[in-house]
């Protein structure tokens, strides 16, 4: 385990938007040191590597990177959603701690193998379920766990990005693994009970351009959850209510209006602008927000400063529910999950 006073030496696999955020955080925070970057694109990989004066490895050469830099202690895998499994397993097998962006995998088998190998290797495996580091969601979950709303009866989550945003991933992997794992994980974390049954609904046909998914989750506690995600939301200049999370109990209720950022900029002749104030805003020249907290937490866990807020088994739990939603969509039937499985906490 690393000394808390020594910067954690880490590498990044995936030089896209998230990789660039984590590279900047590694450069800004004294607790971490960026050693190398790996990606599939020569242009983006070397652009980010040159920005921070570290070696860049292209064409997915993560094995080569790991062999060339034995000093690497941890790896952040922020590659495309469908390209997580191979670099995560390679890093684990090399004895490195891993932070993998969500979804940790786009199949249950891949996620389960990550968890199994990490446990056998004795390394930390964290999953980037960023809502756990959103102060609003964390406060909501804390209120529920303090019993302020009583016994949980039902919960509802909506996450409907504009169709244009989904174009990057359409046809590359089942859309149930894209954004729904955020809310599935938040439900599991907040309700604190495994999902035992799933029934999912969508339009018939056109699987690569599924317009929406609505899934009904039954928890072992008796609570019922509804998860909604639509890929057909139009782009427009108003303030769409794209994200919502509500939970009802026997003594009260709680909600998070995730689409609200608290500030809007309106200029004649152009669409309204709602600056990011939550995920990765640049404040006073520094990277701030949720992903800063994710990064700082991962480093602190590896350095033994605190226990993990979100673990590999937690990520696997969300993937198992997502896989059940996928099966229900394909078969048109309710799917029963085995309650004895470890569904995280």
């Amino acid at each position: 385990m690393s000394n808390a006073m020594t910067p954690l030496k880490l590498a990044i696999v995936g030089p896209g938007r998230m990789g660039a955020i984590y590279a900047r955080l590694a450069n800004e925070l004294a607790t971490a040191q960026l050693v190398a970057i790996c990606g599939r694109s020569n242009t983006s990989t070397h652009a980010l590597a040159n920005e921070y004066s570290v070696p860049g490895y292209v064409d997915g050469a993560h094995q080569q990177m790991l062999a060339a830099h034995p000093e690497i202690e941890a790896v952040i895998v922020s590659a495309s959603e469908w390209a997580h499994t191979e670099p995560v397993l390679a890093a684990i097998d090399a004895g490195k701690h891993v932070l993998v962006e969500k979804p940790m995998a786009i199949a249950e088998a891949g996620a389960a193998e990550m968890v199994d190998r990490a446990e056998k290797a004795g390394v930390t495996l964290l999953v980037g379920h960023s809502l756990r580091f959103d102060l609003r969601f964390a406060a909501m979950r804390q209120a529920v766990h303090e019993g302020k709303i009583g016994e949980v009866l039902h919960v509802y989550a909506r996450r409907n990005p504009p169709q244009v945003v989904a174009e990057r991933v359409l046809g590359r992997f089942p859309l149930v693994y894209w954004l729904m794992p955020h809310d599935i994980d938040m439900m599991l974390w907040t309700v604190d009970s495994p999902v035992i049954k799933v029934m999912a609904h969508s339009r018939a046909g056109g699987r690569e351009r599924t317009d929406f998914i609505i899934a009904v989750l039954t928890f072992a506690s008796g609570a019922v959850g509804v998860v909604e995600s639509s890929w057909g939301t139009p782009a427009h200049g108003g303030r769409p209510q794209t994200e919502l999370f509500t939970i009802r109990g026997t003594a009260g209720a709680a909600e998070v209006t995730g689409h609200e950022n608290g500030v809007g900029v309106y200029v004649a002749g152009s669409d309204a602008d709602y600056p990011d104030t939550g995920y990765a805003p640049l404040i006073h020249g520094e990277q701030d927000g949720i992903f800063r907290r994710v990064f700082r937490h991962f480093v602190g866990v590896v350095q033994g400063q605190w226990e993990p807020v979100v673990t590999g088994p937690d990520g696997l739990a969300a993937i198992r529910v997502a896989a059940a939603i996928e099966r229900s969509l394909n078969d048109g039937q309710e799917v029963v999950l085995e309650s004895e499985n470890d569904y995280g906490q």
Side-chain angles (χ1 to χ4, degrees):
M1 188 169 289
S2 301
N3 188 307
M5 300 302 294
T6 302
L8 180 71
K9 295 179 176 62
L10 59 84
I12 293 173
V13 176
R17 172 177 175 266
M18 290 306 305
I21 289 173
Y22 288 129
R24 178 165 183 154
L25 288 167
N27 186 60
E28 289 181 353
L29 298 176
T31 55
Q33 177 186 342
L34 185 62
V35 173
I37 291 173
C38 178
R40 296 191 178 278
S41 164
N42 183 74
T43 301
S44 59
T45 299
H46 285 299
L48 195 60
N50 291 339
E51 182 176 355
Y52 296 104
S53 300
V54 298
Y57 295 82
V58 296
D59 296 324
H62 45 268
Q63 294 278 17
Q64 180 185 352
M65 178 186 70
L66 291 168
H69 299 278
E71 72 274 20
I72 293 172
E73 299 171 273
V75 177
I76 296 178
V77 177
S78 54
S80 298
E81 290 87 345
W82 54 91
H84 287 175
T85 302
E86 187 178 340
V88 167
L89 293 177
I92 290 172
D93 290 345
K96 315 303 182 184
H97 305 285
V98 177
L99 167 62
V100 56
E101 273 297 299
K102 77 106 248 347
M104 63 189 300
I106 57 171
E108 185 175 345
E113 187 171 5
M114 291 180 194
V115 171
D116 181 62
R117 288 206 203 176
E119 290 177 349
K120 290 178 179 176
V123 299
T124 296
L125 173 61
L126 264 65
V127 183
H129 281 295
S130 56
L131 294 188
R132 296 198 185 200
F133 298 87
D134 185 320
L135 301 181
R136 302 165 300 177
F137 281 94
M140 178 273 299
R141 192 258 187 181
Q142 182 174 327
V144 173
H145 276 244
E146 289 174 350
K148 291 183 177 178
I149 71 167
E151 180 186 356
V152 175
L153 298 175
H154 59 93
V155 58
Y156 168 79
R158 177 175 68 217
R159 192 168 299 272
N160 297 334
Q163 179 69 61
V164 65
V165 177
E167 292 294 335
R168 180 181 67 85
V169 298
L170 283 169
R172 294 180 178 269
F173 65 99
L175 286 171
V176 67
Y177 295 104
W178 187 31
L179 295 181
M180 291 186 86
H182 277 305
D183 295 303
I184 293 169
D185 174 70
M186 185 51 56
M187 285 188 177
L188 289 168
W189 193 45
T190 304
V191 178
D192 199 22
S193 176
V195 171
I196 58 172
K197 291 189 295 185
V198 169
M199 184 67 204
H201 306 271
S202 185
R203 289 176 58 164
R207 288 184 56 199
E208 288 187 355
R209 295 184 61 87
T210 303
D211 291 318
F212 65 87
I213 299 172
I214 296 175
V216 180
L217 315 180
T218 302
F219 295 83
S221 65
V224 174
V226 176
V227 188
E228 169 196 332
S229 195
S230 171
W231 319 113
T233 306
H236 54 81
R239 184 187 288 275
Q241 295 190 15
T242 53
E243 299 175 30
L244 179 66
F245 192 101
T246 66
I247 186 163
R248 299 290 191 271
T250 54
E255 68 177 10
V256 177
T257 50
H259 59 278
E260 295 182 354
N261 62 359
V263 60
V265 179
Y266 311 100
V267 180
S270 63
D271 288 343
D273 178 31
Y274 302 102
D276 176 20
T277 59
Y279 287 95
L282 292 176
I283 305 296
H284 307 308
E286 291 185 339
Q287 188 77 68
D288 210 320
I290 293 169
F291 297 127
R292 184 185 182 95
R293 290 191 285 274
V294 172
F295 182 89
R296 178 177 176 272
H297 181 75
F298 173 61
V299 172
V301 169
V302 173
Q303 293 178 332
Q305 296 182 58
W306 41 67
E307 292 299 312
V309 169
V310 55
T311 65
D314 293 328
L316 174 57
I319 294 302
R320 280 176 168 157
V321 175
I325 292 173
E326 183 182 24
R327 292 197 299 273
S328 180
L329 285 173
N330 291 339
D331 300 340
Q333 297 178 351
E334 184 176 69
V335 173
V336 177
L337 288 79
E338 300 200 11
S339 59
E340 63 266 23
N341 285 336
D342 179 5
Y343 285 91
Q345 303 186 33

